[in-house]
Amino acid sequence: MSPARSSDVLVVGGGIIGLVTAWRAAQRGFTTALVDPGPGGGAAQVAAGMLAAVTELHFGEETLLGLNLASARRYPDFVAELTEATGQDLGYRRCGTLAVALDADDRAHLRELHALQVRSGLESEWLSGRECRRLEPMLAPGVRGGLRVDGDHQIDPRRLAGALVTACERAGVVLHRTWAERLTVTGDRAAGVVTTDGTELTAGQVVLAGGSLSGRLAGVPDDARPPVRPVKGQVLRLTVPQRYAPFLNRTVRAVVRGSHVYLVPRENGELVVGATSEELGWDTTVTAGGVYELLRDAHELVPGITELPLTETRAGLRPGSPDNAPLLGPTALDGLLLATGHFRNGVLLTPVTGDALAHVLTTGELPAEARPFSPLRFGATAPTELPV
Ligand code: GLY
């Protein structure tokens, strides 16, 4: 029997943001469908999974901080609920993070970040270089100081994505494993999509959650089109042999020559090293230069890294927005909502995005914490039409 072609809610895009939206919508009693050729794929297959509300705080992003913290607070219950619903371990590790400085300039920058964190009421402790190395003996002897943030944890995004697919299936979400080609509009209202195989899917409400591709769905009027762009990130995966364990006890990060580098140690021995940040359009090539820079910077931080097997190299695309914050909720087109533009914080923002979209789908209003992220804060954008 072919799957139902009509639903209350249709989610376009099956990355973690689309999946959590569909799962939460189905839990609210909406008949829900999702369209994506490979649900559970996308940027979550590349991301390191840092839940770094405090250590990824940037100047000028204090509004986003509120949403990031709200999502971080929800993580323990979210993980418990998703684990209960699926029986799957998500690799959630409450390990904390250490952000360190390698030279005087880095140290000055980290001091400023610390002051901003303290002004923002966040828990972050300044440590000397020696104190950093006492916590993490593999750190380079030259480390000049650091910030200990015990509240910035991690999750394995691949496991998260897999569990969300299972949760959606168990909640009755219909998964259409194909591309959405064009949004259909009836009168002044979004009515569904036509897929690349010509199937017409209709819905009362359509949520566009296509990550970096969200701006490319044909048929979206210019004043409702999300202004997202791809920001490439190359990421490495290494393995810590048992004889070296524990190599690191917590996430370790630094800014080296202006680039962010982080090392995220999983309980299963995987060590994720990320990430480049490149504005190269739709390119997902892993380059010698990208791998070299990541290994060079990670080696400056933790010299012993060169002993570890390098097991995977991969590049993904972050959905960047003009203010680095997500676009959540209704657009200028009735019946079309957005859940995209999460940029560096997609994994962190998964719980709060699911809750915010469930709320707005049910009531028509965004919850208070999500209101600053309405897509209506941006004007119309230039059209670029391709399948999502
Ligand atoms: N949040 C880490 C990154 O985007 O690289």
Side-chain angles (χ1 to χ4, degrees):
M1 203 175 76
S2 62
R5 293 184 178 171
S6 182
S7 55
D8 297 327
V9 173
L10 175 63
V11 179
V12 181
I16 51 176
I17 295 298
L19 288 165
V20 78
T21 300
W23 182 41
R24 290 307 195 200
Q27 286 178 319
R28 295 277 181 125
F30 292 111
T31 57
T32 304
L34 180 148
V35 56
D36 189 297
Q45 293 300 315
V46 181
M50 288 180 299
L51 307 174
V54 177
T55 44
E56 282 216 358
L57 175 61
H58 288 86
F59 290 92
E61 294 185 1
E62 288 80 356
T63 310
L64 178 58
L65 172 67
L67 193 70
N68 287 346
L69 290 172
S71 207
R73 278 193 294 273
R74 282 170 214 209
Y75 243 99
D77 287 348
F78 174 76
V79 167
E81 185 186 351
L82 187 54
T83 304
E84 169 79 22
T86 62
Q88 295 176 25
D89 174 8
L90 308 183
Y92 179 54
R93 189 173 179 197
R94 301 174 81 141
C95 58
T97 296
L98 186 64
V100 302
L102 288 168
D103 62 27
D105 286 349
D106 298 343
R107 194 170 182 280
H109 167 77
L110 216 52
R111 279 287 193 194
E112 280 176 26
L113 178 63
H114 187 229
L116 175 63
Q117 291 168 338
V118 171
R119 277 201 304 281
S120 306
L122 304 173
E123 286 199 20
S124 169
E125 183 189 1
W126 181 264
L127 301 183
S128 67
R130 183 173 299 177
E131 288 168 327
C132 290
R133 282 191 301 280
R134 204 173 295 138
L135 280 182
E136 294 296 341
M138 296 304 286
L139 279 175
V143 164
R144 305 282 289 264
L147 296 176
R148 176 177 179 169
V149 178
D150 286 344
D152 274 2
H153 303 308
Q154 60 153 302
I155 193 166
D156 185 334
R158 292 177 177 176
R159 292 180 186 214
L160 172 63
L164 283 169
V165 173
T166 303
C168 280
E169 286 170 337
R170 291 191 177 168
V173 175
V174 176
L175 300 177
H176 298 279
R177 294 174 188 271
T178 181
W179 291 100
E181 184 166 85
R182 169 171 290 276
L183 184 79
T184 49
V185 178
T186 304
D188 289 334
R189 205 181 155 81
V193 299
V194 178
T195 66
T196 43
D197 57 15
T199 305
E200 198 160 329
L201 304 175
T202 59
Q205 301 187 80
V206 178
V207 182
L208 181 48
S212 57
L213 290 164
S214 299
R216 303 186 78 178
L217 181 66
V220 177
D222 289 350
D223 58 355
R225 184 179 299 282
V228 291
R229 67 184 197 286
V231 182
K232 177 179 173 182
Q234 301 191 47
V235 174
L236 316 177
R237 282 174 163 79
L238 298 92
T239 304
V240 177
Q242 199 51 45
R243 66 183 181 282
Y244 292 136
F247 188 76
L248 294 173
N249 300 297
R250 72 204 74 226
T251 296
V252 169
R253 57 185 303 154
V255 179
V256 184
R257 284 178 285 273
S259 302
H260 290 269
V261 63
Y262 44 79
L263 290 83
V264 183
R266 303 244 195 271
E267 248 152 18
N268 65 5
E270 183 176 78
L271 181 68
V272 186
V273 178
T276 64
S277 191
E278 303 165 75
E279 303 267 359
L280 291 174
W282 304 102
D283 173 49
T284 52
T285 314
V286 175
T287 62
V291 174
Y292 166 71
E293 280 168 29
L294 287 172
L295 286 176
R296 181 195 61 196
D297 295 350
H299 173 256
E300 275 190 38
L301 205 55
V302 179
I305 197 171
T306 48
E307 302 298 316
L308 306 180
L310 174 63
T311 37
E312 192 182 324
T313 59
R314 196 137 169 197
L317 299 173
R318 306 174 183 89
S321 77
D323 60 4
N324 299 339
L327 293 92
L328 305 174
T331 64
L333 178 66
D334 276 352
L336 179 68
L337 298 89
L338 300 182
T340 188
H342 292 70
F343 192 39
R344 300 183 72 94
N345 294 305
V347 180
L348 172 62
L349 290 173
T350 295
V352 81
T353 299
D355 292 348
L357 265 292
H359 191 276
V360 69
L361 286 165
T362 308
T363 65
E365 302 282 337
L366 281 168
E369 73 238 3
R371 268 177 224 149
F373 306 98
S374 162
L376 303 175
R377 71 189 188 277
F378 299 117
T381 56
T384 42
E385 299 189 346
L386 276 180
V388 171

